Amino acid sequence: VQLQASGGGLVQAGGSLRLSCAASGLTFTRCNMGWFRQAPGKEREFVGATTSWSGRSTTYADSVKGRFTISRDNAKNTVYLHMSSLKPEDTAVYYCAADPTYSSYPSGRETQYDYWGQGTQVTVSS
């Protein structure tokens, strides 16, 4: 199983970025997909997650609600994190993760996710 995250970079406050996470080696349509982030000196935290294609639902951390959106393209085995109105406090390494249990609700718990990408750095300047 491989999760390849990309799309990070340096952006000014108020700007936008789209992160991508391409998955291989798993049945993507049966996986809930999550995004997490880790800022320097802090623990990794939940950003948002979406269920597999059936009855899709999403959930977000309060800190990003209304600014970040998760979407997925099952034909491309890819999940996206659309980030807008970025703030300096959004600076972190962003990780995608896969939960292959086909659960009906997207989880915010790290332990629910079996597979993790390598992370992509997002830096928001003020």
Side-chain angles (χ1 to χ4, degrees):
V1 175
Q2 187 172 14
L3 300 178
Q4 183 69 41
S6 61
L10 174 64
V11 63
Q12 288 188 332
S16 300
L17 274 179
R18 187 186 76 167
L19 306 184
S20 301
C21 175
S24 61
L26 47 70
T27 305
F28 186 72
T29 53
R30 294 183 64 87
C31 289
N32 292 353
M33 299 299 296
W35 286 95
F36 293 78
R37 67 185 182 186
Q38 187 168 21
K42 295 185 177 182
E43 293 186 351
R44 190 158 57 187
E45 65 176 5
F46 173 71
V47 175
T50 183
T51 53
S52 60
W53 66 272
S54 176
R56 185 174 304 165
S57 67
T58 54
T59 185
Y60 300 95
D62 288 343
S63 59
V64 306
K65 205 171 292 184
R67 301 187 298 122
F68 291 11
T69 303
I70 294 175
S71 65
R72 62 190 293 163
D73 185 339
N74 287 337
K76 295 182 178 180
N77 282 10
T78 300
V79 62
Y80 304 96
L81 180 65
H82 308 264
M83 306 184 294
S84 62
S85 301
L86 283 161
K87 305 174 182 180
E89 51 264 44
D90 294 319
T91 295
V93 176
Y94 283 72
Y95 299 89
C96 59
D99 166 14
T101 61
Y102 205 38
S103 60
S104 59
Y105 190 78
S107 174
R109 293 183 291 111
E110 289 189 37
T111 54
Q112 185 67 29
Y113 295 85
D114 289 349
Y115 307 110
W116 292 80
Q118 85 289 358
T120 184
Q121 176 71 47
V122 172
T123 303
V124 184
S125 63
S126 56

